[in-house]
């Protein structure tokens, strides 16, 4: 994983101001280039771009899959963090009153692939998952 390359992900948002508040202020992602229709963010070294879609339906039906006793939103995206960074983010979001779809917890406890996880939605209904691993070398273990 030493040669891991940054990803680029473009997501739709229904309101640029709310996206800026959520990704820039709440999550603390550094803003890069922007216009009145899109914003680039540094998402832990990856390029996340919020693109305005004023026709977007925020409250559309959500699809989920059952994983470890929880209904996981599909689709979703996020970043895999070390455990300390994950805990700091979980504490920050909890303190700010973020409504979690799945509260921060340890998934697959005591099993291969044990990880911390949490799920929440942005103001446009995009589902985010942030994971924490003690040892990233086991990320793809079966």
């Amino acid at each position: 994983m030493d040669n891991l390359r940054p990803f680029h992900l473009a997501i739709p948002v229904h309101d640029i101001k709310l996206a800026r508040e959520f990704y820039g202020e709440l999550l603390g992602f550094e803003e890069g280039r922007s216009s009145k229709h899109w914003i680039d963010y540094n998402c832990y070294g990856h390029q996340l771009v919020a693109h305005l879609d004023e026709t977007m339906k925020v409250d559309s039906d959500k699809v989920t899959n059952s994983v470890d006793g929880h209904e996981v939103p599909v689709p979703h995206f996020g970043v895999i963090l070390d455990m300390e960074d994950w805990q700091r983010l979980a504490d920050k979001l909890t303190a700010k009153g973020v409504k979690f779809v799945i509260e921060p917890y340890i998934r697959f406890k005591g099993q291969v692939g044990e990880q911390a996880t949490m799920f929440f939605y942005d103001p446009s209904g995009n589902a985010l998952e942030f994971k924490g691993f003690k040892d990233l070398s086991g990320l793809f273990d079966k």
Side-chain angles (χ1 to χ4, degrees):
M1 295 203 323
D2 291 338
N3 296 324
L4 191 63
R5 304 299 305 159
F7 68 76
H8 164 85
L9 177 65
I11 59 168
V13 297
H14 78 289
D15 184 306
I16 287 289
K17 180 180 179 288
L18 289 176
R20 185 169 271 123
E21 290 170 1
F22 182 83
Y23 290 100
E25 295 173 24
L26 176 66
L27 292 180
F29 295 170
E30 180 183 350
E31 186 173 320
R33 293 176 302 274
S34 67
S35 81
K36 64 181 184 177
H37 298 287
W38 54 269
I39 308 168
D40 281 347
Y41 286 105
N42 178 346
C43 174
Y44 295 95
H46 303 283
Q47 186 184 45
L48 175 64
V49 185
H51 280 277
L52 180 62
D53 177 358
E54 294 172 329
T55 67
M56 174 176 201
K57 293 183 177 143
V58 176
D59 294 326
S60 61
D61 291 332
K62 305 290 185 205
V63 175
T64 63
N65 280 332
S66 184
V67 178
D68 194 36
H70 295 276
E71 291 303 311
V72 171
V74 178
H76 63 264
F77 72 95
V79 175
I80 298 169
L81 306 171
D82 64 39
M83 200 56 85
E84 294 78 22
D85 288 339
W86 180 88
Q87 190 61 62
R88 274 192 291 277
L89 180 60
D91 291 345
K92 175 183 176 179
L93 297 176
T94 300
K96 295 281 187 177
V98 167
K99 180 181 175 192
F100 292 98
V101 176
I102 299 174
E103 298 276 338
Y105 83 106
I106 304 297
R107 175 191 284 170
F108 310 127
K109 196 168 193 138
Q111 302 174 39
V112 173
E114 180 177 302
Q115 58 194 260
T117 189
M118 61 182 139
F119 286 83
F120 51 95
Y121 289 107
D122 76 2
S124 292
N126 295 299
L128 289 86
E129 175 187 19
F130 285 86
K131 294 182 180 186
F133 277 79
K134 290 180 185 173
D135 180 7
L136 282 178
S137 68
L139 182 62
F140 296 106
D141 287 352
K142 294 181 180 184

